[in-house]
Amino acid sequence: KRKENFGLRFTAVITIAKAGEYTFSTTSDDGSHLYVDDKLVVDNGGIHPPQDKSGKITLSAGEHALKGVPDTWHLYRVVSS
């Protein structure tokens, strides 16, 4: 059996000092998704070796919700195997 089957889900609040376009990135071994204010910014989903993906979003100054979610298809696959 594989010993690496795990996923991390997190939420956070980030404070943007100056309005503008920001780039976010993830490195995932299998899938992950990164949301800012409930908008998908980085889609690094699927079953794959470690890979980097990035996405851009325009943000106003102030606080914004950040959420990282493991690829749910992969989690369901792990649970059902």
Side-chain angles (χ1 to χ4, degrees), residues 5-76:
N5 292 332
F6 66 92
L8 173 68
R9 177 183 295 258
F10 69 89
T11 58
V13 174
I14 56 172
T15 302
I16 300 298
K18 182 179 177 184
E21 184 175 71
Y22 288 84
T23 301
F24 292 85
S25 63
T26 66
T27 302
S28 295
D29 181 354
D30 293 333
S32 67
H33 301 90
L34 184 70
Y35 295 83
V36 178
D37 294 334
D38 291 322
K39 179 178 178 184
L40 179 62
V41 177
V42 181
D43 183 354
N44 198 353
I47 304 298
H48 50 73
Q51 71 178 15
D52 300 327
K53 290 278 183 151
S54 63
K56 295 182 180 188
I57 186 171
T58 300
L59 297 173
S60 60
E63 292 186 341
H64 296 272
L66 185 69
K67 178 171 58 174
V69 181
D71 193 329
T72 53
W73 180 88
H74 176 62
L75 289 180
Y76 291 139

